[in-house]
Amino acid sequence: MNYIVLDLEWNQSPRGKAGKHAQMPFEIIEIGAVKLDQDRKIVGKFNEVVHPAVYKQLHFKTKEILHIEMEELEEARGFEEVIRDFFRWCGGDYVMCTWGSMDLTELQRNLAFFRLPNPLPKPLLYYDVQKLFSLLYEDGKSRRSLKDAVEYLNIEETIPFHRAFDDTLYTVKIMQKMDLKAVEQYLSVDYFRLPDKKEEEIHLDFGRYAKYVSRIFSTKEAATADKTVMATRCYRCGRSLRKKIRWFPVNGKTFLCLTRCPEHGYMKGKLRLKKAEGGGVFAVKTLKLISEEDTQLVYQKKKEAAKKKKEKKQAEQ
């Protein structure tokens, strides 16, 4: 299996919301990628700008950040030709690697807008190298910029940042310094194409925690009425668990709960409701084993949520 390290650059409406296409707010204008073998040695490169079909003027920020002129793009091939050659270059056995979570979503959004086939697997599991960096070197939650990560690892800055291919080369250098074996189980899930039915829902066990991604529901109420969405089951032994603290809202989209497995200990549940690309909502649930001391943080958040609810009710009255 190969690694495809991908970076995209895109343009947007120079007129802001007035000229924005809701189905494609960002149009890809450059694709940069590097293919690595299992030993993380470079075995292929892809680098091409794309002729824009929708936003035919550069947004001032795009021009400023990328140092690119419209003349360069006008001479380029169109998206359909470039992306066809890109996927042919990728081959058949690979995992995508990106710095952050946006590139693959925007790639698929562009494919859908131009009504092109989407050859990426479903579900699309990939490596978010930015997240892996945080898991290896920081707290697993913070997210450094690519430039900051390069500086952190004392990688020599020989080329500028903010062009697609150049950024992939820096991402490759970071990956080559990483102990990928230590974090290779932490695949990320792209949410552009979601499960169509219950049988396709995603269940992943990362050791430190487990993740579940639901199918699409018509409303938030329908999602929170679903038994699988709201269930708490120990991901170590499969036991169905009774909740110490039932699901409670932290805000309108995030819920927490606390439960305990007799064999493995306390577990915190986190449920996030997100808008699906074509309408409706879906649920992303994580369950994580925590220490007895960490349970106090959940109790504290429960108290804070109850206080806010009471204050809101009093204000309404």
Side-chain angles (χ1 to χ4, degrees), residues 12 31 54 70 72 77 88 99-100 120 145 172 191 234 239 241 243 256 262 275 278 289 298 301 313:
Q12 57 187 297
I31 300 173
V54 179
M70 200 65 201
E72 183 180 351
R77 296 192 298 163
R88 186 182 294 130
W99 188 267
L120 293 166
S145 69
V172 165
Y191 301 137
C234 179
R239 189 193 306 258
L241 306 177
K243 298 174 184 67
L256 295 178
K275 289 183 180 179
L289 287 166
V298 184
K301 288 194 175 185
K313 189 174 181 180

Side-chain angles (χ1 to χ4, degrees), residues 82-300:
V82 176
I83 203 65
R84 178 197 62 209
D85 287 351
F86 169 70
F87 281 119
R88 186 182 294 130
W89 170 84
C90 286
D93 186 16
Y94 62 86
V95 59
M96 286 286 185
C97 307
T98 61
W99 188 267
S101 60
M102 286 186 66
D103 287 272
L104 289 171
T105 296
E106 295 307 326
L107 173 57
Q108 293 177 96
R109 191 173 278 135
N110 275 244
L111 288 169
F113 182 86
F114 290 111
R115 298 182 180 179
L116 299 174
N118 186 340
L120 293 166
K122 181 184 176 186
L124 176 52
L125 305 180
Y126 68 100
Y127 284 122
D128 179 348
V129 185
Q130 187 183 45
K131 181 178 80 173
L132 300 186
F133 178 92
S134 183
L135 287 167
L136 278 172
Y137 302 109
E138 300 182 304
D139 58 3
K141 297 178 181 179
S142 58
R143 296 291 184 264
R144 280 183 184 253
S145 69
L146 182 62
K147 191 175 191 306
D148 284 347
V150 166
E151 290 174 356
Y152 182 92
L153 293 177
N154 295 315
I155 294 170
E156 186 180 0
E157 297 179 25
T158 57
I159 50 178
F161 288 87
H162 304 307
R163 287 297 295 261
F165 185 71
D166 296 339
D167 284 357
T168 61
L169 290 177
Y170 280 122
T171 305
V172 165
K173 289 179 180 181
I174 290 170
M175 288 178 65
Q176 289 172 335
K177 279 183 171 278
M178 282 180 167
D179 178 9
L180 274 184
K181 286 289 182 185
V183 290
E184 65 182 357
Q185 73 269 37
Y186 294 106
L187 285 158
S188 293
V189 183
D190 182 83
Y191 301 137
F192 185 82
R193 290 187 298 171
L194 293 160
D196 293 314
K197 50 191 176 181
K198 192 176 184 68
E199 293 74 23
E200 295 178 357
E201 291 181 330
I202 302 165
H203 300 265
L204 298 170
D205 183 349
F206 296 110
R208 291 186 192 177
Y209 65 95
K211 176 180 275 190
Y212 156 82
V213 182
S214 79
R215 65 196 186 278
I216 300 172
F217 295 90
S218 57
T219 63
K220 180 174 74 172
E221 291 73 22
T224 53
D226 185 81
K227 289 184 179 179
T228 306
V229 171
M230 306 306 284
T232 49
R233 187 180 295 274
C234 179
Y235 57 94
R236 290 281 179 84
C237 64
R239 189 193 306 258
S240 183
L241 306 177
R242 182 173 294 178
K243 298 174 184 67
K244 295 284 185 181
I245 300 178
R246 293 181 178 274
W247 291 107
F248 66 92
V250 178
N251 54 48
K253 299 178 182 178
T254 305
F255 300 78
L256 295 178
C257 78
L258 180 68
T259 188
R260 186 177 182 277
C261 174
E263 183 178 351
H264 296 103
Y266 286 99
M267 189 177 295
K268 180 179 77 172
K270 184 176 182 180
L271 180 69
R272 290 168 293 161
L273 298 178
K274 296 174 173 284
K275 289 183 180 179
E277 188 71 22
V281 299
F282 67 101
V284 178
K285 177 175 63 180
T286 56
L287 293 168
K288 182 179 181 181
L289 287 166
I290 59 174
S291 66
E292 193 165 346
E293 292 76 20
D294 287 338
T295 63
Q296 298 308 310
L297 296 174
V298 184
Y299 279 104
Q300 182 61 35

Side-chain angles (χ1 to χ4, degrees), residues 30-58:
E30 187 174 26
I31 300 173
V34 174
K35 186 186 295 184
L36 305 177
D37 64 15
Q38 288 186 329
D39 298 320
R40 283 172 275 164
K41 293 179 180 177
I42 296 176
V43 293
K45 298 176 181 180
F46 189 96
N47 181 22
E48 192 162 347
V49 293
V50 180
H51 182 92
V54 179
Y55 305 125
K56 297 185 179 181
Q57 292 182 348
L58 287 173

